Amino acid sequence: MYVVIFRAETGRIDATYDSLARELRDLALNEFGCLRFEASCEAGVEIAVSWWPDEDAIQRWRHHPRHLEAQRSGRAAWYTSYDVTVAQVTRSYGH
């Protein structure tokens, strides 16, 4: 299993952003094999964490036209900066 951690410093978030974020979350979960997706935004910082079965699923998602369009919009309108971390999960447990 892999985890993708997206962290962004946000500018002005609007209704278009909210709608697009919901659309992309549904697409990732329902068509690209994303196992779980969680996001939070506070004090101008957004953190989104998604879990994936393998790197191939992540790459297919990364290069999907709608996701690429959203990335361009994010850089142009909503994010002042961002970084992405992809890591392999070697252990995960909870209570």
Side-chain angles (χ1 to χ4, degrees):
M1 178 170 43
Y2 287 79
V3 64
V4 176
I5 304 164
F6 173 82
R7 181 190 178 282
E9 295 194 22
T10 59
R12 184 174 171 270
I13 300 299
D14 56 21
T16 302
Y17 174 86
D18 290 337
S19 176
L20 183 58
R22 280 191 301 277
E23 176 190 341
L24 291 175
R25 177 188 310 226
D26 289 344
L27 187 63
L29 289 166
N30 296 318
E31 295 186 32
F32 283 86
C34 181
L35 303 168
R36 191 165 119 202
F37 186 99
E38 297 175 2
S40 181
C41 191
E42 183 178 333
V45 176
E46 176 183 353
I47 297 175
V49 182
S50 56
W51 288 260
W52 299 83
D54 52 45
E55 286 187 274
D56 182 57
I58 295 168
Q59 288 302 317
R60 285 186 293 110
W61 172 243
R62 180 179 182 208
H63 296 291
H64 185 270
R66 188 67 171 134
H67 188 215
L68 291 171
E69 179 183 326
Q71 290 172 18
R72 285 189 294 274
S73 295
R75 286 190 295 270
W78 301 305
Y79 302 131
T80 58
S81 67
Y82 69 88
D83 58 78
V84 178
T85 301
V86 178
Q88 188 170 15
V89 177
T90 59
R91 183 178 354 178
S92 179
Y93 55 92
H95 171 74

